[in-house]
Amino acid sequence: MSDDALADDELADDELPSAVVRRPDGVYFQADAPAVACQAAVNQVFLSSACFGGLDYSVFIRVLYNCGPALPAGLQNHALIRFADDIQPFLAARRALYKAVRIVHGEAEYYFEPVFLEVPDAPPQPARLSFDEFVADMWVKGIRFGIDAPAVKAAIASGKAARIVVARRLDPTPGVDAAFVEVSRDIHRSNAPREMADGRLDWHTFQNRFPQVKAHTRLLRKVPRQAGTRGYELSGIVIEPPPPRDIELSTVAGSGTVIEHQPDGEYLVSAVAGFLSVDASSKRISIGPKIVSREGVSARTTGNLQLSGEYEEFGEVQEQRVVEGGSITIHGDVFGKISSRGGTIVLHRNLVGGSAVNADGDIRMKGVASGAVLQTKKGEITVARAENCVISGTRVLVGEAVNCEIIADEVVIKLAIGCAVAGRKIDIASAGPRKQSEMLLFALVPDTSKYDFKLAELGTQLARHEREAAQRKTKMDGLTGQPEVRNYLTLATRVRKHEVVLTPEQEQLFHKMAGAVGPTLKAVAKLSLALKAEQVRQEQVREQMALVERQKRLVMRGTRCIVRLVDGDVIVRSMVFNPDLGPLYDSAPKAIKSMLRAAGDHRPVIFSGSSGGVDWALDE
C-alpha cells in the first residue's frame, strides 16, 4: 500500500477532536470551544501527517490566539467558525520539500528556492510549495504563531530564491495606568495677565492663581486602569504585558473633600465651599476658608496676588511682589510688599527691604526686619529686632531697635540704639546713640488750644452774666431801700404774719399806701425775675466750663516718657499734635522720617543727658 493510501485511511478512520468539525462544505472550529482546546485539536491534526487545505490564516490565528483582524461579522454569532476547506494528507515526500527555519531575535527566516520531489526509480520532479503545508510544517517545527501569510504566499508564488522573514513574535502592548481627570473648570488656575477696569493688562498679576469652588462640586474623576494586550512568542507561548499601575482617589483627598462612587464613575467632590489648594509634596487637594500656598510668591509662580480671603504662604515673597488680602501668614522670608485689609499679618521669618501694612489689625514678626516698613492704622506691631525701619501703629513692641523711626500711641522697646521715637506713652529699658544717629525721643503732647479758647469764651460769658446779675441786684436794692417802700414792706410782712391787726381806718390807709408804692413793687418783681435768670445762666456756663475742663484733662491724660537706662546722649522733647487731625502715626513713611529726623528741631527739651534715667509725665 502506498503512503498516500495509508494517510487517507488514517484520516478517515480516526475521530477528529471535538473542537474541530469536518463537513462537506469546510472545516470549522466549535465557536464555544476554548482556545486551548482548539490549539490541541490543530496540534493533533498536524501531528497526524495532515494539513488544512484552503486555510484562512487570519481566522485560524484569531480563534487560536485572539490576535489579528476581528472575525467577519457573519461568523461572530454562529456556533461554528469556518477556517479551511478541508483536511488533507501531508505526506512524508511532500514534507521533505520544506527546510528548517532560522530564528533570530523573535523572527523566523526561511530561504525559498526551487524544490524537487523525489520519485522512486525516476529523476527528481520539479515541485511547488504550498502555504497550507508550510503552516503545518512550521507548526511541527515549533513555529505556531505569527506567520506572515501574504509574504509567504508571495514568495511561493514567485518561485524565486529568496530569504525572507516568514514569522514574527508579537510583543505585548502595555496597558494604560489609572489616572485622575479634572472634571471641573473651577479648579483650573489661570496664569493669564489680569485685565484691569480700564481694559489694560496687569502683567504682574495672574487672572486666577487660587481657584475657589462651591460645595458638592466634582473635582476629579478616576479613569480606571486598562489592561494591555498579550504578546506571543513564535512558539505560541503567551507573553503577558506588565500590569498597569493603579491609583486611588484617597491618596489625593485632603481636608474639605470626599470620595463619591457614582454610576458613571468614582469622583473626588468638594465637601465645603472655599479655596482649593494642592500640597506640592503629597499632591493632596484640600478645600478650606484659607488659601494655602507652598510655592512662594514670585513673577514665575504667582505674580502679584489680590486675594479675597485669608492667605498662608510657606515659601518666600520675592522682591517687587505684592500680596494683598485679609489675614496673611508668611512662613518664608519676605522681600516684597504685604498688604492686609484686616485680621493679622504674621511673618515667621525675616522682612528685608519690603513692607507689611495692615489697615485694621495687628502685625506680628518673629524674625528680623531690615530696611523695611511696618505700619498699621489700628493695631499692634510686635517685632523681635528691627534695623533701619519705619514702624508706626497704635501700639509698638520691639525687642531691639537700631536706627529706626518709630511712632505710636504707645511704644515699648527693650533696647533702642540711634532711633527716633515718638509716642503718647514711651517705655524704653535702655536707650543710646549709634555712630552718627542721635537717640531722639518725642513725647506727644496734645494741642489743647481749642479747649483753652472755649474756656476763655465761657469765662467771658460768665463774667457778663455776673455783671448783669450785679446790676439788677443794685437796682433792686435801690428801690427797696426807699423809706415808703421799706415801711410798706415791713408793715405788710407783719400783717401777713398776724403780728398786727388793723382797724378799718388803718386798712384804708394801708391800701392807700399799697397803691402809692405799687409801681415800685412791680419794678422790684421784674428785677428779681431777671436776677434769677442771670443766676441760672451762670450755673449753665459753669457746668459747660467744668465739662470742657474734664475733656481737656482726658485729652492730656496718659502722656508719659520713661527711659530706665540712658546709655549715651539722649534728647527728649515734647511734640505738640492736634488730635482732631487724626493720629500722627497714620502718615506716609517719608513723612514720618522727616517728622522725627527734622534738622534743627526747636521743640521744647524735656531731657538732655548721657546717663541716668527719664521719668516724665505731662501735668494735667
Side-chain angles (χ1 to χ4, degrees):
M1 183 180 291
S2 67
D3 291 343
D4 291 343
L6 179 60
D8 287 338
D9 289 343
E10 291 176 351
L11 291 173
D13 296 336
D14 294 345
E15 184 179 354
L16 288 173
S18 60
V20 174
V21 178
R22 183 180 183 182
R23 299 200 321 190
D25 59 342
V27 182
Y28 297 82
F29 285 123
Q30 291 281 4
D32 58 353
V36 174
C38 294
Q39 293 173 15
V42 169
N43 187 60
Q44 183 175 341
V45 171
F46 286 155
L47 291 179
S48 300
S49 298
C51 66
F52 297 106
L55 176 66
D56 188 336
Y57 191 75
S58 62
V59 175
F60 178 79
I61 208 71
R62 183 71 185 183
V63 173
L64 297 184
Y65 298 105
N66 194 30
C67 291
L71 294 175
L75 299 178
Q76 291 180 1
N77 297 325
H78 288 68
L80 299 175
I81 301 174
R82 188 180 188 280
F83 69 95
D85 296 337
D86 196 5
I87 299 177
Q88 299 174 349
F90 187 14
L91 302 177
R94 291 286 304 172
R95 190 181 297 277
L97 300 177
Y98 297 91
K99 301 179 180 180
V101 294
R102 180 187 178 200
I103 300 176
V104 179
H105 303 305
E107 293 183 344
E109 293 182 353
Y110 188 89
Y111 181 67
F112 287 95
E113 61 181 349
V115 294
F116 298 88
L117 184 64
E118 295 291 340
V119 178
D121 301 327
Q125 300 294 319
R128 294 183 66 86
L129 301 181
S130 164
F131 175 74
D132 300 333
E133 293 175 346
F134 184 86
V135 171
D137 185 69
M138 290 297 106
W139 184 281
V140 174
K141 291 175 179 176
I143 308 300
R144 302 185 176 186
F145 175 85
I147 293 177
D148 188 346
V152 172
K153 290 179 180 179
I156 292 173
S158 69
K160 298 178 180 179
R163 184 180 296 277
I164 68 170
V165 176
V166 295
R168 291 179 177 84
R169 175 183 62 200
L170 177 64
D171 293 324
T173 303
V176 179
D177 294 339
F180 300 143
V181 178
E182 296 178 357
V183 294
S184 173
R185 299 186 62 183
D186 293 339
I187 68 176
H188 283 284
R189 291 177 172 177
S190 175
N191 290 346
R194 184 178 64 87
E195 185 175 353
M196 296 186 289
D198 57 3
R200 294 182 301 158
L201 297 178
D202 183 355
W203 293 96
H204 301 289
T205 306
F206 295 158
Q207 196 172 82
N208 180 24
R209 182 61 185 177
F210 298 103
Q212 190 172 10
V213 298
K214 298 179 180 178
H216 312 298
T217 299
R218 290 180 174 183
L219 306 175
L220 299 178
R221 178 174 63 87
K222 177 184 176 180
V223 177
R225 60 181 175 178
Q226 298 178 11
T229 57
R230 289 175 167 181
Y232 290 92
E233 295 285 0
L234 294 175
S235 62
I237 296 176
V238 176
I239 306 174
E240 294 289 353
R245 186 174 62 91
D246 196 14
I247 51 177
E248 298 296 337
L249 282 171
S250 59
T251 61
V252 295
S255 60
T257 65
V258 294
I259 298 172
E260 293 185 358
H261 298 273
Q262 300 292 343
D264 57 341
E266 187 177 358
Y267 292 90
L268 182 68
V269 180
S270 60
V272 297
F275 292 96
L276 183 147
S277 63
V278 181
D279 189 298
S281 58
S282 67
K283 305 302 181 184
R284 288 187 179 273
I285 297 176
S286 301
I287 298 174
K290 179 168 64 175
I291 301 171
V292 179
S293 172
R294 302 178 185 276
E295 300 175 345
V297 179
S298 66
R300 178 184 60 84
T301 57
T302 63
N304 294 339
L305 295 178
Q306 294 181 347
L307 309 171
S308 59
E310 298 182 21
Y311 180 70
E312 183 173 10
E313 174 60 66
F314 285 84
E316 70 176 28
V317 179
Q318 294 186 359
E319 279 185 280
Q320 300 181 350
R321 294 304 102 200
V322 179
V323 179
E324 299 179 12
S327 291
I328 299 175
T329 301
I330 309 293
H331 292 270
D333 292 328
V334 175
F335 302 93
K337 299 179 180 179
I338 308 299
S339 178
S340 180
R341 295 181 295 272
T344 303
I345 295 177
V346 180
L347 305 181
H348 285 267
R349 297 192 66 181
N350 305 318
L351 174 63
V352 181
S355 64
V357 179
N358 198 342
D360 185 11
D362 299 341
I363 300 175
R364 296 202 298 270
M365 271 213 60
K366 299 182 180 181
V368 176
S370 178
V373 174
L374 294 98
Q375 290 186 298
T376 175
K377 294 183 178 181
K378 185 179 180 182
E380 179 180 284
I381 298 177
T382 305
V383 187
R385 177 180 171 83
E387 301 175 355
N388 304 306
C389 295
V390 175
I391 306 174
S392 65
T394 308
R395 188 167 185 257
V396 173
L397 306 175
V398 185
E400 181 178 348
V402 179
N403 197 32
C404 295
E405 289 76 39
I406 302 173
I407 183 169
D409 281 343
E410 181 179 358
V411 180
V412 179
I413 305 175
K414 291 183 179 179
L415 176 62
I417 303 175
C419 297
V421 180
R424 291 292 305 273
K425 297 179 181 179
I426 300 176
D427 190 341
I428 300 177
S430 177
R434 179 179 182 270
K435 297 181 180 179
Q436 302 301 319
S437 297
E438 295 180 297
M439 185 66 224
L440 304 175
L441 301 178
F442 297 93
L444 296 180
V445 177
D447 181 1
T448 60
S449 58
K450 73 170 186 178
Y451 300 103
D452 296 335
F453 178 81
K454 185 64 175 178
L455 288 173
E457 185 181 64
L458 292 173
T460 300
Q461 293 180 18
L462 179 62
R464 185 177 70 251
H465 293 312
E466 289 176 343
R467 288 196 303 271
E468 292 290 338
Q471 290 175 2
R472 284 164 175 71
K473 182 69 168 59
T474 300
K475 289 181 180 180
M476 192 171 64
D477 291 343
L479 293 175
T480 57
Q482 295 177 9
E484 60 273 17
V485 175
R486 185 172 61 253
N487 292 336
Y488 171 77
L489 291 175
T490 302
L491 180 59
T493 300
R494 295 182 67 188
V495 169
R496 188 168 59 252
K497 292 180 179 181
H498 303 287
E499 294 178 356
V500 176
V501 178
L502 299 177
T503 62
E505 293 81 5
Q506 290 175 331
E507 285 185 2
Q508 290 181 357
L509 292 174
F510 180 73
H511 290 303
K512 186 178 180 180
M513 183 184 298
V517 299
T520 303
L521 292 178
K522 290 181 180 180
V524 170
K526 186 176 181 180
L527 288 172
S528 177
L529 291 175
L531 176 61
K532 289 180 179 180
E534 290 299 330
Q535 289 174 344
V536 170
R537 294 188 184 99
Q538 290 179 44
E539 287 302 317
Q540 291 175 343
V541 172
R542 289 191 182 96
E543 289 178 359
Q544 292 180 21
M545 291 179 70
L547 177 61
V548 173
E549 285 285 357
R550 288 195 299 272
Q551 292 174 342
K552 178 181 177 181
R553 287 195 299 270
L554 185 62
V555 170
M556 295 175 62
R557 184 178 302 166
T559 299
R560 187 173 185 181
C561 179
I562 298 175
V563 181
R564 305 181 191 282
L565 175 62
V566 175
D567 187 10
D569 293 336
V570 174
I571 300 176
V572 182
R573 299 176 183 270
S574 63
M575 179 186 293
V576 178
F577 74 98
N578 188 345
D580 296 335
L581 300 180
L584 286 180
Y585 59 77
D586 189 12
S587 303
K590 288 185 178 180
I592 292 175
K593 290 176 72 76
S594 176
M595 183 193 314
L596 301 184
R597 296 289 189 182
D601 200 311
H602 299 292
R603 297 182 179 95
V605 176
I606 296 173
F607 171 87
S608 179
S610 59
S611 61
V614 180
D615 189 351
W616 175 86
L618 178 64
D619 294 331
E620 299 181 3

